[in-house]
Amino acid sequence: METSILTKKRIEELLEKGKRLDNRAFNEFRQLEIEYDISNKAEGSTLVKLGDTQIIAGVKMDLMEPFRDSPNEGVLMVNAELSPIASERFEMGPPQINSIELARIIDRGIRESHCIDMKKLCVKEGEKVWAIMVDLYILNADGNLLDAGNIAAVSALQTAVFPKINEENKVLFGEFTKENLPISSLPITITSYKIDSRFLMDPTQEEEDCAKARLSTNFVFDDKETYIHAMQKGGEEPFSENEILEIIDESMKQGQKIYNLVKASIDKHNKSK
Amino acid sequence: MTPKTIKREDGRNYDELREMKAKVGVIKNADGSAMFSFGKTKAIAAVYGPRLLLPQHLQNPEKCTLRCYYDMAPFSVTERKRPGPSRRSSEISYVTKNSLSHVIKLENAPNTVIDVYILILQADASTRCAGINAAALALANAGIPMDEMVSAVSIGKIGDEVVADLTKEEEDFTIEKNGKIEKAATDIPMAVLSKSKKISLLQLDGKIKKEDLKEAIELAKKVTDKIHKIQIEALKQIK
């Protein structure tokens, strides 16, 4: 259901007093939980719960002919499905702009961070390379699909394993090796939402409905120095230079915390295997 | 900012834009239209509306709806691009709409729609920026009340240098690192509003530190003034 004008007004009134409907601080994330191996047919899969937002990410792999301009590099594809299962706002039919943008922002974060060594995904130059396909399914939409979707995608990639192949370089579907993908980092996307003149992180659906603009920033925290690898401004309201720099500072701080949580969870899972 | 002396492949300074051309009224049938080019990147835009939005259930009784369509001609790139919309063009259409809608007084014409069609004829990087510049001109040409002008530019970082208006060649710049060839250019398309200097389009891909991003935003604000002048000149040519 559309968020009512009354609820929006209430949220804005509370923000003025420095409060949120669920008593969180402006930059506080909801409880994050990651479950692994959701589907044993997938090369890697995770269920990410961020408050009431739930997203499944599944990784499938196949061998394919490389693209002409990169004969010795693997292929990455990210797709997001906003299925009607997750919200009464979603409808069946061809992908709408919100699912296209969601998939492309997550794709860009993974691609531009160069976390996957695409050259190591080459089996035979010009003929066979690995294609990594990440499919995101929203199970329950309650705001901040961008950050939660990114966590689901990267944690599924980090825990995925190669399938077995035979001598003719054909994939033996359903049989897995124990070898993880060549991934060197864990890119994290943090999005700030602008409501009036305030910035909120990890909004619920109702809070997101009040926002006039958002800014997503993708960081890699694995190296000594933290770099920004991707950004996207959404919504119709513009930002001033200071607002942008302020958002980046805060996103970097909160991103580091999320990174630590996700990293610890993945390491624990990979060790238990 | 410290003045920089680096010369680029095509002899430009770090803050020098490619030669810009702008022309208003290029499509007679449209309510407003314009052409804008950065060097070899050429975009045309046509505006139809405000006109009644049909089917009726799409109408917004509070304000006018703005729709943007970005499209690349199949012959605009070296290898033919399949005609029709793609995921890339849908996303660019969406960010273009977001970059323009804040300056238009949409509440003036409830239940109507303004359609902005952008066609890229020739691509050499910065196509979305050229498209936005052409679209802003076309909107002004259509007589649609706007609070301020929108000027877009792509700022990049090549190696360690922050420079304005990348070409395709600069965008694909690579360096050799530990025996591996790495892509080393960062591309940041931005749109700056002419009066408030606020940023209505911001995308980024590559690798950049916060300090360099600050420099990039400041450079964008500086060079969009030049684009704004070209746009105003073009609008003065309307007879």
Side-chain angles (χ1 to χ4, degrees), chain A residues 156-205:
Chain A
L157 284 168
Q158 286 261 0
T159 51
V161 289
F162 280 100
K164 285 186 179 159
I165 51 175
N166 65 13
E167 305 83 55
E168 290 155 8
N169 284 338
K170 285 251 163 67
V171 180
L172 301 165
F173 288 109
E175 295 182 43
F176 301 113
T177 63
K178 289 204 161 157
E179 193 190 342
N180 281 111
L181 305 185
I183 301 191
S184 56
S185 60
L186 186 74
I188 295 287
T189 296
I190 300 290
T191 308
S192 272
Y193 291 77
K194 186 180 178 187
I195 303 178
D196 291 333
S197 57
R198 293 176 180 80
F199 302 110
L200 231 60
M201 280 180 189
D202 190 29
T204 60
Q205 185 65 62

Side-chain angles (χ1 to χ4, degrees), chain A residues 68 78-80 97 99-101 103-105 107-108 112-114 117 119 194 214-215 223 225-246 248-249 252, chain B residues 62-63 79 86-92 94-95 97-99 101-102 106 128 157 180-181 183 185-186 193 196-210 213-215 217-218 221:
Chain A
R68 246 193 287 175
V78 180
N79 176 49
I97 179 62
S99 79
I100 295 174
E101 197 201 15
R104 281 182 65 86
I105 292 175
D107 180 292
R108 205 175 298 148
E112 295 301 330
S113 66
H114 293 279
D117 190 342
K119 296 225 163 68
K194 186 180 178 187
R214 64 170 147 77
L215 188 64
D223 308 326
E225 273 186 287
T226 303
Y227 284 91
I228 300 163
H229 287 267
M231 283 181 91
Q232 174 99 333
K233 178 195 159 289
E236 299 188 342
E237 243 180 50
F239 286 112
S240 71
E241 181 185 340
N242 282 339
E243 285 173 336
I244 293 170
L245 297 173
E246 208 177 291
I248 292 174
D249 278 339
M252 209 187 278
Chain B
E62 282 174 5
K63 59 179 188 177
E79 216 168 305
S86 63
R87 278 156 59 109
R88 175 180 176 272
S89 72
S90 306
E91 190 200 343
I92 296 179
Y94 178 67
V95 295
K97 185 207 85 182
N98 283 341
S99 74
S101 59
H102 185 73
L106 292 170
R128 71 195 70 185
K157 188 168 156 254
K180 279 194 288 186
I181 308 256
K183 218 184 137 199
T186 304
L193 308 185
S196 64
K197 296 286 167 202
K198 283 192 174 179
I199 289 142
S200 65
L201 167 86
L202 172 64
Q203 293 184 293
L204 181 149
D205 51 57
K207 184 179 179 181
I208 196 164
K209 267 192 247 174
K210 191 199 149 197
L213 180 67
K214 185 177 191 308
E215 196 182 325
I217 296 172
E218 268 153 24
K221 283 187 185 172

Side-chain angles (χ1 to χ4, degrees), chain A residues 15-29:
Chain A
L15 284 183
E16 234 164 85
K17 293 180 195 151
K19 281 188 191 156
R20 285 169 84 165
L21 268 184
D22 51 10
N23 273 327
R24 279 185 290 151
F26 285 4
N27 57 5
E28 191 180 337
F29 274 67

